[in-house]
């Protein structure tokens, strides 16, 4: 259970060793108030000193700090399992960004769960989003990153021609190996999430190198191709939206996100309200309603994660019926799956070029 804001503020007022501030600079967070404290919850001081000396090999680190090889290996193993360390070409290195650390440390083996870390990570995410939005409001930046993109539920687009392999989860996992189910970092970090009693925490699925990396560090569960499709079908009952990296190749990660706790959704809601922009890229699809078939039951209204559906009086029809606010629809397909009369369908409205070629080209003008 997340503690009060007061508890977080108290943690942020404590004296902290300079090694954690030095590390915060290394992961490109020099101005962050919260980052050094997040790092402090993930490692002891000896480990912080080692991380500041990277990249290097464990053998060199042992010599440099006059430690036994066994002690250094133990530190490396623990920091690797916690998602702080990555093996690279020039030796082991520290995770390169807060986004990466959020995802790896937030989805580590549950034996490393720590309320203080989760509370501070939550505060760090909040700090990051506020900073990004404020920069746009102040005019110091004119772009916002749409790093994640919605892909629809496969059943909602199964009869549509022109669906790309990287927007159909059956294709994404077809040749994937290993496929690994992970605890979702956002759900883990938000200890007060409203969906806690109804939606499981293990909803993130990675594959290939990312899957193997997580198995190696002792987190996640390996799934077969059939098991992953079965699992994703079982998610149909939840209000979970598939999010993938916003680039035009096969995604290595399929997030299944709830609007109450997902960092991407949280950022999107704020961006939509404060700068009238989306920070999640919509899918290439949009929902529409066949007013003839709609009975006005409102199932889709409560099912939609972004309040994109309302009821209205159509001329020539009795009673109010659903319609889609096209500007707001993110194209997730959730409403299509549960409409009892089959009145809802998805339409393909954006060309393949809508998807950026590279993950580095997902900034949009605001
Ligand atoms: S983006 Fe979504 S699934 Fe991924 S870690 Fe956050 S909430 Fe979880
Ligand atoms: S779920 Fe279907 S029938 Fe019910 S209001 Fe929505 S479109 Fe109409
Ligand atoms: S109307 Fe809502 S639930 Fe339906 S596809 Fe659009 S965003 Fe998803």
């Amino acid at each position: 259970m997340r503690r009060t804001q007061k508890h977080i503020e108290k943690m942020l007022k404590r004296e902290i060793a300079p090694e954690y501030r030095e590390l915060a600079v290394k992961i490109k967070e020099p101005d962050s108030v919260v980052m050094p404290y997040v790092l402090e919850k993930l490692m002891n001081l000896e480990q912080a000193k080692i991380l500041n000396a990277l990249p290097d090999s464990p053998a060199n680190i042992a010599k440099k700090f006059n430690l036994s090889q066994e002690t250094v290996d133990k530190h490396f193993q623990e920091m690797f399992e916690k998602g702080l360390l990555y093996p690279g070409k020039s030796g082991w290195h520290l995770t390169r960004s807060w986004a990466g650390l959020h995802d790896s440390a937030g989805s580590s083996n549950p034996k490393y769960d720590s309320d203080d870390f989760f509370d501070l990570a939550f505060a760090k995410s909040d700090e990051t989003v506020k900073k990004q939005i404020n920069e746009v409001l102040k005019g110091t930046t004119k772009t916002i990153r749409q790093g994640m993109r919605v892909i629809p539920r496969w059943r909602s687009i199964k009869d549509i021609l022109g669906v790309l392999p990287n927007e159909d989860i059956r294709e994404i996992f077809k040749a994937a190996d290993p496929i690994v189910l992970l605890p979702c970092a956002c759900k883990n970090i938000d200890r007060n999430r409203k969906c806690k009693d109804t939606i499981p925490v293990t909803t993130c699925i990675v594959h290939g190198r990312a899957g193997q990396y997580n198995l190696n560090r002792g987190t996640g569960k390996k799934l077969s191709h059939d098991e992953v499709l079965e699992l994703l079908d079982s998610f149909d009952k939840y209000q979970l939206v598939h999010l993938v990296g916003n680039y035009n190749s096969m995604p290595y990660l399929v997030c299944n996100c709830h609007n109450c706790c997902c960092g991407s959704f949280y950022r999107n809601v704020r961006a939509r309200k404060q700068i009238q922009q989306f920070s999640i890229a919509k899918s290439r699809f949009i929902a529409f309603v066949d007013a003839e078939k709609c009975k006005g039951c409102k199932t889709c209204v409560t099912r939609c994660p972004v309040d994109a559906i309302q009821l209205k009086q159509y001329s020539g029809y009795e009673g109010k019926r659903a319609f889609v606010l096209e500007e707001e629809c993110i194209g997730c397909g959730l409403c299509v799956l549960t409409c009892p009369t089959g009145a809802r369908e998805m339409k393909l409205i954006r060309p393949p070029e809508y998807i950026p070629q590279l993950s580095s080209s997902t900034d949009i003008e605001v």
Side-chain angles (χ1 to χ4, degrees), residues 269-281:
V269 168
R270 292 186 70 120
R272 195 76 191 114
K273 261 197 201 139
Q274 293 183 262
I275 55 172
Q276 292 74 53
Q277 193 49 270
F278 286 88
S279 66
I280 295 176

Side-chain angles (χ1 to χ4, degrees), residues 289 293-300 311 322 338-341 343-344:
V289 185
K293 291 186 188 163
C294 175
K295 300 287 175 245
C297 70
K298 289 192 189 169
T299 305
C300 56
L311 293 193
T338 45
C339 174
T341 65
R344 306 191 67 87

Side-chain angles (χ1 to χ4, degrees), residues 48-97:
K49 287 179 180 169
I50 291 174
L51 284 184
N52 273 316
L54 295 181
D56 212 340
S57 67
N60 285 344
I61 291 287
K63 265 190 228 145
K64 204 179 271 176
F65 289 95
N66 200 19
L67 293 168
S68 73
Q69 191 62 52
E70 197 193 347
T71 304
V72 173
D73 288 348
K74 244 174 104 186
H75 282 321
F76 268 66
Q77 183 63 28
E78 187 183 318
M79 292 192 286
F80 173 58
E81 289 178 10
K82 285 183 171 177
L84 286 157
L85 265 183
Y86 289 85
K89 279 187 194 134
S90 50
W92 289 89
H93 65 82
L94 173 67
T95 178
R96 297 192 203 282
S97 66

Side-chain angles (χ1 to χ4, degrees), residues 86 100 145 197 201 233 235 306 354:
Y86 289 85
R145 177 149 294 186
D197 296 330
V201 74
D233 280 351
F235 287 172
V306 290
Y354 162 76

Side-chain angles (χ1 to χ4, degrees), residues 126-164:
D126 190 49
E127 181 193 57
T128 304
V129 175
K130 275 188 190 145
K131 184 171 173 248
Q132 287 169 348
I133 305 279
N134 281 343
E135 280 173 0
V136 174
L137 288 172
K138 280 194 282 178
T140 46
T141 178
K142 301 233 175 297
T143 58
I144 189 158
R145 177 149 294 186
Q146 291 188 334
M148 303 289 277
R149 181 169 39 84
V150 177
I151 59 168
R153 292 309 178 106
W154 73 266
R155 279 184 214 286
S156 72
I157 51 170
K158 67 180 176 10
D159 299 324
I160 297 179
L161 292 175
V163 175
L164 299 170

